[in-house]
Every structure is written in C-alpha cells, then in structure tokens.
Amino acid sequence: MSTYPFSAVVGMDDMRLALVLNAVSPAIGGLLVRGEKGTAKSTTVRALTAVLPEVAVVPGCRFSCDPAAPDPACPDGPHDASAPVAVRPARLVELPVGASEDRLVGSLDLERALTEGVKAYEPGLLAAAHRGVLYVDEVNLLHDHLVDLLLDAAALGTSYVEREGVSVRHAARFLLVGTMNPEEGELRPQLLDRFGLTVDASAPREPDVRAEVVRRRLAADDDPAAFAARWVDEEQALAERIARARGRLASVVLPDAALRQITTVCAAFDVDGLRADLVMARTAMAHTAWSGRSEVRAEDVRVAARLALPHRRRRNPFDAPGLDEEQLDQALQEAADDASEDGPDEPPPVGPGGGAPNDGGQDDTNQDEAESGAEASAPDGAAPRPAPAPEAPPAAAATPFRARLLTVPGLGTGAAGRRSRARTDSGRVTAARVPADRVTKLHLPATLVAAAPHQQVRGRTGRGLVMRRDDLRESVREGREGNLVLFCVDASGSMAARARMSAVKGAVLSLLLDAYQRRDKVGMVTFRGAEAQVSLPPTSSVEAAAARLQALPTGGRTPLAAGLLRSADVLRVERMRDPSRRPLLVVVTDGRATAAGGASGAPVEHAQRAAGLLAAAGVASVVVDCESGAVRLGLAVTLATALGGELLRLDEVGADSLASSVRARTATPSRKVA
Ligand SMILES: [Zn+2]
C-alpha cells in the first residue's frame, strides 16, 4: 500500500511544519497533534517517513545499529567495524493503544534461559522505532503502564527489560508523535510535557481549500499509484530540503539577542522550568536551517513559540493548551525594545501589526482560530472586570483529617499502591502455580520440587538439574494496588448551606489526601443546576483536585442522575486506558434528586436507573450521606442500595469517628456518634 504523499497534504500547515522541524532536529523531542476526528492527522504522520533521510544500519542487526557508531551494548553485537553498511528507508512504527508490555519493550524468554541456558530476546516496538518514528494514535487513551515505559525510554534513550535477573538493554531513540481527540479525554501532564511541540489540527474552514482536499483524496483513492507518481518530484525536493537542513543545522548560530527573545517570551508566558526555553531554542534553530539561513531571527523565534509554548504555560493542568498570539507579539516586542534600550516604556496600545513579517494571509486564519479558541476555553489573565456575582463565593473546606480506608472488594491486579488487596508484582508470596503463559516471576523452590522427582528418569548424570519447561512454577504474590477514586459530588442548592458545604469539602479533601498517600488516581464529577460536569478528569495530581474542590461553586437544582451517568462515562474511558486499575466511586450527596438532567420523567427514578447501571457494570461504590437537619428523608440509603455500595455518614469519613465527629459537627448538629 502506498501512503499518501506528504507534499500533497492540504492545510495542516502547522502540523507539517512541526513534523519537518522535528525531522531536521530530532532533539526537539516530538510532536503532539490535537484535533477532532477526520482531519487527516494520521495520514499526515504516516506520510512523513517517505521524506525522511534514509538510515544507514549494520546489516542483520535487529536494533538498527549505526555502522559509524554501533551500540556497544547491542544484544546482536558486538559489531565488526569493517562490516558492510546497509541503507534502508526511515521507519514509522505504530504503537497500538492496547499493546502489551512485551509488545512494546520486547519479551525475554525466561523458560529458554533456564532450560536451554540461552538468552532469548524478541525485540519489541521500541527496538523497531530506534532511529525512526514512534507513532501513537489516540495517545490520550494509552494505558498508564505503557505511558510509564515510554517516558522512561524517551528520557534515557534506552529500553531496558529485566525478568528474574536476566536483563537486556538496547538503544531506543525515536521521534515520538502522538495524535489525539481532546474530546475523549486529556493527556497526563507528564506525558504532555514530553512532547517537544504541539499543534491543533482542524479541518480547513474555507470552501475552496476543503474542495481541494476532497479532490486530491478522491484522486488518491481512485488510483493511489498514479496519484503518488504525480507527487514524486515534490516529495523528492522536500526530502532533499530536509536532508540539507539537517546538514546545515550544526552551523546555525543563535545570537544573544535571539536567545534573550526566547527567554523573555518564556518568562512572559510563565512556563515551568527551563525545558520550554531549550525546546524553543532548538525549534528556532531548526527553522533557521529549514529556511536556508545560518542565523536565528525574530521570525524563527516566533514560529518556535507558537509550536513549543501552548502546552507549557503554567495553568490548570487540564485546561486546553492555547497561546494568545497578541501576548506573544507583545513579549517579542518587549525583548526587541530591551535590546535597543530606547524603546517606549509602555507597549503600543494595539498589537504591533508590522511586528512579525510572516506567511501573509496564512497568519490571519491562525489568529482567528487562536481567538475563537481563547473564547471557548477558560478566561485567563485577560478577564477585564469581575462579573456581577449571583452566588456567594465558594465555601472554604474545613480542616482535613485522617480519612478511614475505603477499599474495592475482592482481589485486583492493578498497579502497586496502598488501597485494595491485589495480585501484584511485589508484595508477599502467597503461593506458586503452573504458569498460564510465559514465566516472569519464578518461584524457585516450587520449580525445584517439581523437577526433583524426574531426575533419574531424565537420565541426570552431571552436576546440574535436568530442567524441563513444565517444571517451571511462578510466584503468586499479594499486596495492595492503587485505585481510581472518582468523586461524584453534589453541589446543588440543597447542599449549599455554608457550614455544611465546608464540612463536605473538608471530608472530600481528607479523602483526596488519603488517595495521594495511597498512590491512587483521583477524578471529580460535580453536578448542580441542569447538568453534571467533569470538574477534574482522572489524574495523579491531587493538588489539582484540591484546587478544583476549593473553588467549587454551589447552588441550583440537583441532577443526581446526570452526575451518576457522567461518572459512568468517565469510568468507561478510564477502563479502556487502564483496564486493571479498579475504580471506587465515592458519591457525596444527600440523596435528593430534583432535576432529570435533560431526560424527561421523575428525577428520582432516573437516578435509581443510573445507579443500577453502575452496579451492573460492577463499579464498587461508597455513598457519603450528607443529609442533616431534624427531618431526615434517608434518600442516600436508597441510593446506596441501588448502587450496591457502602453507606457512610459524613461524620464517619474520619479514621477515628470521635475526632471527625467533632470536626463535622457543624454539618450534623443533631447527631452524636455512639
Ligand atoms: Zn546492533
């Protein structure tokens, strides 16, 4: 199958430029492309390899060693310095979201190591991607465990596998490209930071451009070979230009003035650490080389800022990336003014129109998109004046306390943590068993016991035991796993009594701190008024959760069903991402339901049905009953029953009920703990 030619991609200019700059300078660190479905993101990524320079390799080496500098630790090595050199096209390796660990890092055959005494290693995708492109479509849905392995490999440039003392290490440096649809969930901040550049991809708005996209697509589908042939010259020219830029890169100069522009812009956008400055410098230099010049200019810095900064601004971790181009021009202008010393004290009142001589008409559309994007996302520093406040400011959380341990029943298989019981890689050994698949955790005594009775029959004469594959036993270990604790918090008017909301927030905050110590992931869904919203997509950042909680406004009707259904949605996506991390749903409510959340019919019945769905999906849950006052309806009991979950009163959230009942007494004045 011939891929779509890179040169034939219409629109997507930022994305193509970002890919090309990475190809010129792999040190930039990869690209993340965000955008809705059907914008040819994947087509564009897959088209890249055809214009990448070819790769010289040691023939027969499965780890793509460079003949000029073979990896001294190469598992297929050592390589002879006088070996012949083979040249092959650059490779693009796709990492499927549901891949196994073995598939990614390779698999080590422990059985052959023991029974035949050979180190048998089957390379994985990281080995295949070395010196090429590793592409992850729907990277935001990638299993957490794979994300960790990927981050490790990317940070070290090495992949490392160890099983019971047998280990293999090989070089793994690759251009990481991810694509994602943000509507399906955001990316973990650590992974987001790993990508050198980000671009937003959207379908072109202009009918003429759309028509050209469709025309070319039809032609390509109709006769791929003929279509590709039409673009051969362009592809060739592009490949040569990339190769030339790569060659020129080493001699590109970054003058002090340009470096100061970079650091000024990074400071103005309040980015964390110095990584942004470095990536921007590398990107600006790559752009200089790509433009056929040898000295970085303001226009290179501007391009670099647009591509390198949107995801690095300090902000709420889950706000959509975006960059205010007017602010960017101002920062660039300031740096220029500083350099010339006699600049005006104040920036010009209107954005400096002639500041950035760029791609002409192209720039206008970018600006439009950036502006509409900024409107859609949360307002940041630019908020002009406080809006008239229809609601009182959010209640502050009461002082947090030590929370009692809430667990998911049964025995899980999730990542190590400190909450629910689980089969884990660490923990104490509780048994040995015949492995269902390949052995990774050998139980030595049980293996020896299994082999011992057969030694005579097998004709043992030498010193060592005669081992067979079916002698092998693996350890069964039990420890604790981390879970996903998803809070579903009622923020409606019925909960809004100030002292009580403060106690509720205090209780949730206590559970959050507990989740942090137990290495859980946490997320939060809140519901009030007409709808439920994901206030915090599942994350390992408890700070973010605490901040969202403190700022949580209250008031309005109670769409309990919507809250439960939204929680079910969040859990469904998380199950795709990390099937072994078991969820614990903590519903914080008084059990009232007064809004149907869009559906027709009785709100209480909707809530019951939604609870039934969660129960049927096997979600473990706890209802924290926040009802107070003289007249009790006991609705939370009904909800807990429908969920098949545990019921706790607000004053029972504390690890020792006495202390917590004192702290929570404002919320439940009439109740005393027995
Ligand atoms: Zn090698």
Side-chain angles (χ1 to χ4, degrees), residues 58 61-66 70-71 74-77 79:
V58 173
C61 171
R62 295 172 299 163
F63 301 87
S64 302
C65 275
D66 181 354
D71 178 4
C74 175
D76 282 354
H79 298 298

Side-chain angles (χ1 to χ4, degrees), residues 473-487:
R473 297 291 181 271
E474 67 180 4
S475 303
V476 179
R477 288 168 186 270
E478 191 183 319
R480 289 196 180 267
E481 63 179 2
N483 296 106
L484 164 62
V485 182
L486 181 66
F487 294 91

